[in-house]
Amino acid sequence: MEFLQNNLIYFIPVLGLIGIIVMAIKSAWVNKQDPGDANMQELAGYIADGAMAFLKAEWKVLSIFVVFTAALLAYSGTVHEVNGVELHSSWIIAVAFVIGAVFSATAGYIGMKAATKANVRTTQAARTSLSKALKVSFTGGTVMGLGVAGLAILGLGGLFIVFMQVFNVVEANSTEMKTAIEVLTGFSLGAESIALFARVGGGIYTKAADVGADLVGKVEAGIPEDDVRNPATIADNVGDNVGDVAGMGADLFGSYVATILATMVLGQEIVVDKLNGVAVDNLNGFSPVLLPMVICGLGILFSIVGTWFVRIKGEDSNVQTALNLGNWSSIVLTAIASYFIVMFMLPAQLHLRGVNFTSLDVFFAIIVGLIVGTLMSIITEYYTAMGKGPVNSIIQQSGTGHATNIIGGLSVGMKSTVAPILVLAAGIIFSYAFAGLYGVAIAAAGMMATTAMQLAIDAFGPIADNAGGIAEMSQLPPEVRERTDNLDAVGNTTAATGKGFAIASAALTSLALFAAFVGVAGIDAIDIYKAPVLAGLFVGAMIPFIFSALCIAAVGKAAMDMVQEVRRQFREIPGIMEYKAKPEYEKCVAISTEASIREMMLPGAIALLVPIIVGFGLKGVFPSVSSAEILGGLLAGVTVSGVLMGIFQSNAGGAWDNAKKSFEKGVSINGEMFYKKSEPHKASVTGDTVGDPFKDTSGPSMNILIKLMSIVSLVIAPYIAVGVMTETKQEIKKEIRVIKTVDSLGKETMDTVKNTIDTLTVKP
């Protein structure tokens, strides 16, 4: 036990390394599976080449951004004092930023590479059985899940050990520790920055291709989805990889890192009691800082165990049930292990910002986080799954045309915000009641502990979607497409639940980051009675709307170009419709690539620059209000508005998509059966086209937006904290009491007791 206490910090990166090793084993297994015939391999090659072409183009642009930002961070790290106030930073923050950016890009690359290998192998497996197809596609998703979680824990744990040595950290509540944590925020900033561009760029790419392919192929030409004759179909399948796989991988990598970091920042403030000069946690006071990394590291192991339960027996088995079993098993194992870890690591009593709590309270906060994550998944599944009430309501409204389908989808999306927000609100209240702000942060960490499993379930969907596309393009027997469609329909739901999970974690993480920002910036409250703060709140609430508008408009512009190109090829290349000529797939791939790289810049700039403009641009402008307070109001507005927008758009898009897919097996509308190519089906295609940028571009980008703005604010907080004027009011009441006493001889005496209390206002 003593050996474990003395070396616990070194076990953290080892847990990440275990995840990467298992990832490599599973990746090798996927590569050994049968990739099918030459035609299938050729089509899969087009998809893989297109995905790599996009990543290379994106990385070229982002490398310039990384170098420029690293230079600014390096310079800021050389500033150790502002207006007489000492700052705790170092130029090494630039190194942490670059490592975070590289790891985030690598996480996306690992997922995309695994997906482009697994898609064609899933198609081939579907020629045998549904069980085999699920095993290949889910194992491909597991590669990304373990890669993301493993890299995050290895990077955070490894860098933390290095920084403790570099800055000679001996005690948790020390100046050296503050410097180490401040520098470590660079890793999270790099991860979230790349995640935003990867998610937005990938989302624009995939939806531009998808919308263009649907409008011309399915609606105008009347050919099936993923038909080999459609010039945009390769770009569409490439988009599934760069958006839903590489983008999601970078997204949850950033979320994972930000959640752990926010908890570490608050953990560093916790004062651990000492006995005879030794911290009672036997970890020299570092236990609250190390706890989130340990729990998330163990979550990797339990996610690996959870993958063993994802199995089905026959063609009629429920795929969703198998995935849920794997997910719930990893959550339950994490909950059980968390009790023993918390009891082992933390002291009995802890204190943070005037709040006292126990180690058991921290465990209960973790349970709250796990419950919130589970409930968010269940609620999202209800609103987006085939056969459920919300999706069925959209199907029924498709019977009266395109407009009523749109109205139905918007209504479902808006209604779907109620239950998740109530769950989140309850989660925040209960986790805070148990362990204060540290409870909120550790609840988010508990929720994110099974990220490897969540990502495996999420990535399985795009792999199955690609497998169906390859089956269609290869003109394989109908039963193959039926099996891949079964997986794809479940994948739509798991993708929606994954986005709901990401939004929930972002809400809790942003609150923890906000608390960390408030502490570093030296402000004690966000007072909306102050006009500039209220103005910041309104501006912050507006940002998710303009961000979403830019993303959706970008999809619209690129989709218009795609539609024109597909029409041109149908018109100018004779023989396409008769399978006598091959479409020019590469031109459609180029349109999506160029549009996504071009259009992702402005939304990304908003997230990165607005906190800097407010923080530094308004510094000293208002005598009675600091720019830090205004920035706090801005962050509050962004967080609330962004969470609502993210839930609404993701769920509406998911419901529209599964409403459309329901027509493939046939649906009953007012007692009459309708199938593909019917008028209600065409209405559902329109709804899905509107929902595509909702669920795959702007919606899932909301969680990165709110976290990235919080992290940027946290990084600049020490530089704008100077000059914050706060008033401390102390109430004092004047009270005079007359006390009558009787001595032993029966003589009465009167004593006057004065208790003077007044109101003092102290300005530091």
Side-chain angles (χ1 to χ4, degrees):
M1 192 65 71
E2 186 176 344
F3 174 80
L4 184 59
Q5 289 174 342
N6 294 336
N7 298 279
L8 182 63
I9 190 171
Y10 301 105
F11 282 98
I12 295 170
V14 170
L15 292 171
L17 193 59
I18 291 172
I20 292 173
I21 291 171
V22 176
M23 173 210 74
I25 294 170
K26 289 186 176 292
S27 178
W29 182 87
V30 170
N31 290 338
K32 289 178 182 177
Q33 303 309 300
D34 186 358
D37 58 39
N39 184 40
M40 292 167 60
Q41 292 182 50
E42 181 184 9
L43 293 168
Y46 288 144
I47 296 170
D49 291 343
M52 276 309 304
F54 168 77
L55 282 187
K56 287 178 181 177
E58 185 181 53
W59 288 346
K60 283 181 182 178
V61 174
L62 292 183
S63 61
I64 299 171
F65 160 76
V66 168
V67 170
F68 178 74
T69 307
L72 288 178
L73 287 171
Y75 169 73
S76 71
T78 62
V79 179
H80 299 297
E81 185 180 294
V82 174
N83 294 345
V85 177
E86 184 182 2
L87 302 180
H88 308 289
S89 190
S90 166
W91 64 269
I92 301 176
I93 191 173
V95 178
F97 172 81
V98 172
I99 294 173
V102 170
F103 272 38
S104 182
T106 303
Y109 171 79
I110 287 171
M112 190 216 67
K113 198 72 175 175
T116 54
K117 292 285 187 183
N119 55 11
V120 69
R121 289 162 172 80
T122 300
T123 307
Q124 180 64 16
R127 301 176 81 165
T128 305
S129 68
L130 180 64
S131 174
K132 185 72 181 294
L134 172 62
K135 185 175 182 180
V136 175
S137 57
F138 181 72
T139 303
T142 303
V143 172
M144 182 172 82
L146 292 175
V148 166
L151 280 174
I153 294 298
L154 179 64
L156 266 179
L159 282 177
F160 185 65
I161 292 170
V162 170
F163 293 158
M164 285 188 66
Q165 297 297 320
V166 169
F167 299 112
N168 193 28
V169 178
V170 178
E171 293 187 356
N173 306 109
S174 63
T175 300
E176 293 80 11
M177 184 62 172
K178 287 183 179 179
T179 303
I181 295 289
E182 173 73 18
V183 171
L184 197 59
T185 58
F187 182 79
S188 183
L189 179 61
E192 287 288 2
S193 300
I194 297 302
L196 179 68
F197 288 112
R199 181 46 116 172
V200 173
I204 294 170
Y205 186 113
T206 182
K207 292 305 111 181
D210 196 359
V211 171
D214 283 356
L215 289 179
V216 184
K218 286 193 288 190
V219 177
E220 293 183 10
I223 58 179
E225 185 175 4
D226 296 316
D227 194 294
V228 71
R229 295 170 291 179
N230 192 331
T233 192
I234 292 294
D236 185 7
N237 283 279
V238 170
D240 290 335
N241 291 287
V242 300
D244 294 338
V245 179
M248 178 57 95
D251 177 355
L252 279 191
F253 179 87
S255 297
Y256 199 57
V257 170
T259 302
I260 296 172
L261 179 71
T263 315
M264 292 173 70
V265 171
L266 291 172
Q268 188 268 331
E269 292 186 36
I270 292 176
V271 178
V272 176
D273 295 335
K274 293 185 177 181
L275 184 63
N276 298 325
V278 179
V280 294
D281 63 354
N282 295 318
L283 291 168
N284 204 23
F286 288 100
S287 57
V289 178
L290 299 179
L291 182 63
M293 287 192 286
V294 173
I295 288 176
C296 289
L298 289 173
I300 295 175
L301 302 184
F302 300 130
S303 294
I304 294 171
V305 174
T307 61
W308 301 344
F309 294 93
V310 181
R311 299 284 184 272
I312 58 174
K313 294 180 179 179
E315 297 296 308
D316 297 328
S317 299
N318 191 315
V319 175
Q320 184 71 61
T321 300
L323 294 171
N324 287 343
L325 183 60
N327 187 26
W328 293 336
S329 61
S330 61
I331 290 172
V332 170
L333 288 171
T334 301
I336 295 170
S338 294
Y339 173 80
F340 297 100
I341 291 298
V342 168
M343 294 298 111
F344 168 71
M345 289 183 63
L346 295 183
Q349 296 291 329
L350 300 100
H351 324 279
L352 174 65
R353 297 186 186 179
V355 177
N356 299 322
F357 50 94
T358 67
S359 54
L360 189 60
D361 291 331
V362 173
F363 167 70
F364 288 142
I366 293 171
I367 296 301
V368 168
L370 291 169
I371 292 172
V372 168
T374 302
L375 289 177
M376 289 292 287
S377 295
I378 292 171
I379 293 167
T380 306
E381 181 182 336
Y382 169 74
Y383 278 102
T384 58
M386 292 172 65
K388 304 290 186 181
V391 170
N392 287 339
S393 70
I394 297 174
I395 292 170
Q396 296 302 312
Q397 292 182 77
S398 299
T400 50
H402 300 251
T404 48
N405 173 281
I406 299 297
I407 292 169
L410 290 173
S411 173
V412 165
M414 291 177 183
K415 281 190 219 174
S416 73
T417 62
V418 177
I421 290 300
L422 292 177
V423 168
L424 275 174
I428 291 169
I429 291 170
F430 282 111
S431 59
Y432 185 87
F434 281 124
L437 290 170
Y438 187 75
V440 176
I442 203 68
M447 186 191 303
M448 295 296 292
T450 57
T451 290
M453 188 64 188
Q454 298 290 339
L455 259 178
I457 294 172
D458 192 279
F460 134 87
I463 292 172
D465 192 3
N466 262 206
I470 293 171
E472 185 73 52
M473 288 186 283
S474 303
Q475 298 178 308
L476 296 180
E479 64 267 17
V480 177
R481 186 65 202 245
E482 287 175 10
R483 288 168 182 148
T484 59
D485 281 348
N486 187 339
L487 297 177
D488 186 25
V490 175
N492 281 334
T493 303
T494 60
T497 56
K499 288 159 190 165
F501 172 82
I503 285 289
S505 68
L508 294 180
T509 302
S510 294
L511 182 57
L513 287 169
F514 183 78
F517 164 77
V518 167
V520 175
I523 54 180
D524 51 14
I526 305 298
D527 188 354
I528 61 171
Y529 281 124
K530 297 176 180 177
V533 178
L534 183 60
L537 185 71
F538 275 101
V539 172
M542 171 272 297
I543 287 175
F545 286 86
I546 185 62
F547 186 93
S548 295
L550 291 170
C551 291
I552 293 170
V555 171
K557 290 178 190 174
M560 288 170 63
D561 294 339
M562 188 70 69
V563 166
Q564 296 299 331
E565 175 59 24
V566 175
R567 285 174 177 167
R568 181 196 70 79
Q569 292 195 34
F570 280 153
R571 184 176 60 249
E572 297 180 4
I573 303 177
I576 285 183
M577 297 304 290
E578 295 78 26
Y579 299 100
K580 294 178 180 178
K582 186 177 290 187
E584 296 173 341
Y585 300 122
E586 68 281 356
K587 291 192 176 179
C588 292
V589 170
I591 287 173
S592 272
T593 301
E594 292 166 9
S596 60
I597 298 298
R598 180 181 67 248
E599 301 292 343
M600 72 180 185
M601 294 301 174
L602 187 54
I606 288 174
L608 287 164
L609 296 180
V610 167
I612 296 172
I613 292 170
V614 172
F616 290 105
L618 299 182
K619 190 175 181 180
V621 173
F622 302 99
S624 61
V625 183
S626 71
S627 62
E629 289 179 273
I630 301 171
L631 182 53
L634 182 94
L635 293 178
V638 167
T639 301
V640 173
S641 176
V643 169
L644 284 165
M645 283 287 284
I647 295 171
F648 157 60
Q649 293 184 82
S650 295
N651 289 349
W656 264 318
D657 196 351
N658 271 342
K660 177 201 70 174
K661 278 191 166 50
S662 298
F663 282 90
E664 292 168 3
K665 292 184 178 180
V667 298
S668 174
I669 301 177
N670 296 326
E672 184 180 352
M673 292 300 296
F674 291 91
Y675 298 88
K676 291 177 72 172
K677 299 186 180 181
S678 63
E679 288 304 313
H681 175 248
K682 290 179 180 178
S684 74
V685 171
T686 301
D688 180 41
T689 304
V690 173
D692 272 340
F694 272 32
K695 72 180 175 63
D696 290 325
T697 307
S698 58
S701 298
M702 289 295 104
N703 64 306
I704 312 176
L705 171 71
I706 60 181
K707 291 197 307 299
L708 181 56
M709 291 186 70
S710 296
I711 292 168
V712 172
S713 302
L714 181 60
V715 170
I716 68 171
Y719 303 91
I720 62 174
V722 184
V724 177
M725 298 293 292
T726 60
E727 292 186 350
T728 304
K729 292 190 186 258
Q730 184 177 12
E731 272 236 8
I732 307 183
K733 186 161 87 173
K734 290 182 183 174
E735 181 182 305
I736 300 178
R737 288 185 295 157
V738 178
I739 301 176
K740 182 164 57 173
T741 59
V742 181
D743 60 18
S744 59
L745 299 176
K747 185 179 179 181
E748 292 185 354
T749 58
M750 307 283 287
D751 286 337
T752 302
V753 180
K754 294 182 180 180
N755 194 6
T756 304
I757 305 179
D758 206 341
T759 301
L760 302 177
T761 298
V762 182
K763 291 189 177 182

